[in-house]
Amino acid sequence: WRESAAGVSPVAFFASRTMADLPTLSLRAIMFALVFWSCALTNVSLGTLSLLLVNVMLAASGFAYLVAIVIPPSLAVTVCGVMVCCLCGFFAGLVPTLREADGVMLLALDASYGRWALQCLASEDFGNIPNALYSDIGTQLMGMFAWDTADATYCGKPLRVLFATGVGLRLVGCVALVASHRDEQHKPSLFAGKKGGGAKAKLKPRGLPTAAMV
């Protein structure tokens, strides 16, 4: 409400805020990629892993923006906790797999940034097994999870979906911010919730007794 009350456009403020957060998100993703890549000994290249984590951060922060705008502050932490646990853990495409899921569960998996991150990471790892004796095992694992490997690169589609999710959620959040009319909202009085605040309360005159009261 501060920016709106000062005459700043909510769209311009939201756009500048999201753009200013991108370097921080990218730096965190790259630092985590360096640690994970050096410890996990995965077949995924460092560049691919860094790009994947940047897009995961982009999608996850998009959900955070939307929740912060739409959900009341008292419920935001709970909603974010449930959303992160479900999207990143329960609905990651392992149990149930894409082959087993249908209906609502399949839609939940399509909306899960954890599922797309796992598909990219595991497919890239299974598809680049250096030992030819075990290369067929990687193909069988990808078939078991029904991951789409039609692209020239295993991470092509997941990266596009994660990027589109992050941008799309930011656009939805911007529309929700404009629709909430923050410029018409005012800061509550400092003593609004306190009894006997600074000014004395005006006494309302009592009405004359009516015939029924008598």
Side-chain angles (χ1 to χ4, degrees), residues 103-138:
V104 177
M105 182 59 67
L106 189 59
L107 292 176
L109 289 174
D110 288 338
S112 170
Y113 60 85
R115 167 261 166 114
W116 294 107
L118 178 63
Q119 177 175 334
C120 172
L121 183 62
S123 297
E124 191 78 16
D125 190 33
F126 294 157
N128 294 311
I129 297 178
N131 193 333
L133 295 176
Y134 298 100
S135 59
D136 292 339
I137 297 179

Side-chain angles (χ1 to χ4, degrees), residues 46-72:
L46 179 60
T48 300
L49 181 61
S50 300
L51 187 60
L52 170 62
L53 292 179
V54 168
N55 282 275
V56 169
M57 294 280 284
L58 188 69
S61 59
F63 280 105
Y65 279 120
L66 185 60
V67 169
I69 294 172
V70 176
I71 305 299

Side-chain angles (χ1 to χ4, degrees), residues 75-201:
L75 299 176
V77 176
T78 302
V79 172
C80 267
V82 173
M83 183 177 295
V84 169
C85 290
C86 290
L87 292 181
C88 195
F90 301 144
F91 302 145
L94 289 178
V95 180
T97 64
L98 296 178
R99 194 180 300 277
E100 298 169 344
D102 58 356
V104 177
M105 182 59 67
L106 189 59
L107 292 176
L109 289 174
D110 288 338
S112 170
Y113 60 85
R115 167 261 166 114
W116 294 107
L118 178 63
Q119 177 175 334
C120 172
L121 183 62
S123 297
E124 191 78 16
D125 190 33
F126 294 157
N128 294 311
I129 297 178
N131 193 333
L133 295 176
Y134 298 100
S135 59
D136 292 339
I137 297 179
T139 304
Q140 293 173 8
L141 288 172
M142 286 186 285
M144 180 179 68
F145 290 109
W147 289 332
D148 185 12
T149 58
D151 287 344
T153 58
Y154 298 111
C155 288
K157 183 177 180 180
L159 290 177
R160 292 194 299 270
V161 172
L162 289 171
F163 180 80
T165 300
V167 174
L169 289 174
R170 281 165 170 78
L171 292 177
V172 174
C174 184
V175 172
L177 182 64
V178 174
S180 64
H181 298 291
R182 293 294 179 91
D183 54 339
E184 299 177 1
Q185 299 178 10
H186 300 283
K187 182 180 178 181
S189 174
L190 182 62
F191 304 101
K194 297 182 179 180
K195 295 181 178 180
K200 294 182 179 180

